[in-house]
Amino acid sequence: MSDDGHEQNGTGHENVPGRQRRRFPGISSRAYEHPADRSALVALRKLSGFDTVFKALSALLPERSLRLLFLSDSVRVSDQQFAHLNDMLRDACYILDLKKVPPMYVTQDPQPNAMCIGLDEPIIVVTTGLVELLDEEEMRAVVGHEVGHALSGHAVYRTILLFLTSLAIRVAWIPLGNLAIMAIVTALREWFRKSELSADRAGLLVGQDLRASMRGLMKIAGGNHLHEMNVDAFLEQAEEYEAGGDLRDSVLKILNMLPRTHPFTTVRAAELKKWGESRDHQRIMDGHYPKRTEDKDTSVTDSFRESASHYATSVKSSKDPLMKLVSDLAGGAGDLGGRVRRGFGGFTGSAPAEDQPPRNGSDGSDGGPERPTDTPPRADS
């Protein structure tokens, strides 16, 4: 049983599994949310009547239809059906102190996937492909991931995103209308990609096994061949993806990412490892975290400032050629003209010695003030 073995009568948390895990009473989703995700959620929660307005849209959205579809054509998790998943679900809600356990369904689909949707009340759906792919600890992290979505309220935004994506297809013949909706969809996708990183963190707080969380992501990428794969080598792929190539590859990365609602799996694994080894994660595990009772007092300005600071730090520390260029230009460093003259390859690192422009005066010229040469790439900190 989690933590001190306490059972909560009337909340659906009875008979939780036996492994000893820490519990986080009253934890706010702000504790694990990615800064970009958190700033947007804090702002929306401050809007008076926000939840009421969006839930009122449920009549326009296919939510009721989805609920009926899963009820009629999937298997609802319970003590009688997929009991081990039901235990994981109750345990995840107990650990994150989610009072109402959301309904959970298993649907026949060979594609490994899971989602949390719904405006009024969230429902969790996992595919048979995912259930068959993951072991118990890996699956526990996935269930915690979806419960994290429910606690943050992400189900509302995912449902809106599904609706707008469908609407964009329907009005594709209206040029301006389609552009406007696709702009909103693109922004929502960026937001939701960050929310996936938040939910990965929630999954780690529930499973409390970093290697299992990363194994699960690796299996989603490479299938059920664990004996043929290695987590450390998988993380090296993320390093190569971020640092490899030139400016052309940076542009291609952006284009590849734009239509996606989820970050790439290697990137998710690397981000989760970084957070799992951070001081922020350790403080939560030690019992120091923001509480839901404090959510109403959270400053929108401070949240956006934290988000902006995170992005600035990410740009400065990134090994991606485009991000390096942005960082250099922002700091006034680098000879942009020289890099352009050498072509896209000039953005991958410093030029060969023979391509470096000579300093004034060093070659017998007019001896005027020195002009800056190309700044070599910064060492990774």
Side-chain angles (χ1 to χ4, degrees):
M1 186 168 297
S2 298
D3 196 33
D4 57 2
H6 176 64
E7 291 188 1
Q8 295 200 355
N9 294 323
T11 60
H13 298 309
E14 300 86 352
N15 304 318
V16 293
R19 181 186 149 186
Q20 194 83 2
R21 291 182 180 82
R22 290 183 177 86
R23 183 173 176 257
F24 311 102
I27 189 172
S28 168
S29 59
R30 291 181 292 114
Y32 58 80
E33 285 164 354
H34 184 279
D37 178 32
R38 181 168 56 240
S39 63
L41 291 173
V42 167
L44 288 171
R45 288 165 187 155
K46 291 287 185 179
L47 294 177
S48 178
F50 168 78
D51 289 340
T52 303
V53 171
F54 273 97
K55 288 177 181 178
L57 292 174
S58 60
L60 303 176
L61 301 177
E63 179 181 357
R64 296 181 69 87
S65 175
L66 287 173
R67 288 180 181 278
L68 290 172
L69 177 63
F70 289 122
L71 183 63
S72 63
D73 206 31
S74 301
V75 176
R76 183 162 57 191
V77 171
S78 66
D79 286 332
Q80 292 78 38
Q81 301 185 121
F82 290 100
H84 72 292
L85 294 181
N86 199 40
D87 286 342
M88 290 181 193
L89 177 61
R90 284 200 301 255
D91 198 38
C93 292
Y94 181 68
I95 289 172
L96 294 180
D97 200 14
L98 186 64
K99 300 300 182 184
K100 189 170 184 180
V101 179
M104 183 175 178
Y105 293 90
V106 176
T107 188
Q108 173 64 31
D109 187 341
Q111 181 71 27
N113 196 16
M115 59 182 174
C116 181
I117 58 174
L119 286 174
D120 191 23
E121 293 183 2
I123 61 174
I124 294 172
V125 181
V126 297
T127 65
T128 52
L130 188 69
V131 174
E132 293 163 4
L133 177 65
L134 304 182
D135 67 25
E136 181 177 346
E137 292 303 310
E138 295 157 4
M139 193 67 198
R140 190 181 299 278
V142 169
V143 173
H145 173 111
E146 300 305 326
V147 170
H149 275 315
L151 182 58
S152 287
H154 290 147
V156 173
Y157 317 122
R158 175 183 279 275
T159 305
I160 295 293
L161 176 58
L162 290 172
F163 171 70
L164 288 175
T165 302
S166 174
L167 182 62
I169 295 173
R170 294 178 186 177
V171 300
W173 60 277
I174 308 175
L176 293 180
N178 184 52
L179 286 175
I181 292 175
M182 286 310 299
I184 298 173
V185 168
T186 299
L188 279 172
R189 281 176 178 158
E190 167 59 16
W191 180 0
F192 208 82
R193 284 192 291 269
K194 295 301 184 288
S195 78
E196 287 300 319
L197 300 180
S198 299
D200 283 344
R201 296 173 180 183
L204 178 58
L205 291 178
V206 168
Q208 299 176 22
D209 185 339
L210 180 58
R211 298 294 285 190
S213 292
M214 291 191 294
R215 278 201 320 269
L217 290 168
M218 184 174 65
K219 282 186 175 181
I220 290 172
N224 192 17
H225 304 281
L226 191 59
H227 64 289
E228 298 282 357
M229 298 184 287
N230 179 277
V231 170
D232 295 325
F234 188 64
L235 292 170
E236 288 174 6
Q237 290 181 223
E239 182 85 6
E240 182 179 344
Y241 171 78
E242 181 185 4
D246 56 23
L247 191 60
R248 291 165 296 190
D249 296 295
S250 298
V251 173
L252 290 173
K253 290 176 191 176
I254 295 173
L255 294 176
N256 286 339
M257 180 60 69
L258 282 178
R260 295 176 61 93
T261 57
H262 289 57
F264 294 115
T265 48
T266 57
V267 175
R268 288 173 65 183
E271 287 286 334
L272 185 60
K273 182 175 186 292
K274 186 188 303 181
W275 188 77
E277 296 174 348
S278 70
R279 176 176 168 79
D280 289 340
H281 174 255
Q282 188 57 51
R283 283 181 57 81
I284 296 174
M285 297 304 294
D286 290 339
H288 306 294
Y289 50 82
K291 303 292 180 66
R292 279 169 234 167
T293 53
E294 305 162 353
D295 284 350
K296 62 182 183 301
D297 302 320
T298 306
S299 167
V300 176
T301 302
D302 289 346
S303 297
F304 275 105
R305 187 180 296 118
E306 183 181 357
S307 177
S309 174
H310 170 81
Y311 275 115
T313 301
S314 297
V315 169
K316 289 180 181 178
S317 62
S318 176
K319 299 175 184 177
D320 180 83
L322 179 58
M323 294 300 101
K324 279 185 178 180
L325 174 62
V326 171
S327 180
D328 286 348
L329 292 179
D335 175 18
L336 180 60
R339 292 191 179 194
V340 171
R341 284 194 300 272
R342 290 191 298 276
F344 281 105
F347 292 101
T348 60
S350 53
E354 62 269 23
D355 288 336
Q356 297 279 5
R359 294 176 181 268
N360 286 346
S362 63
D363 59 350
S365 58
D366 61 11
E370 287 188 350
R371 297 174 61 190
T373 61
D374 284 351
T375 303
R378 298 177 181 176
D380 182 42
S381 56

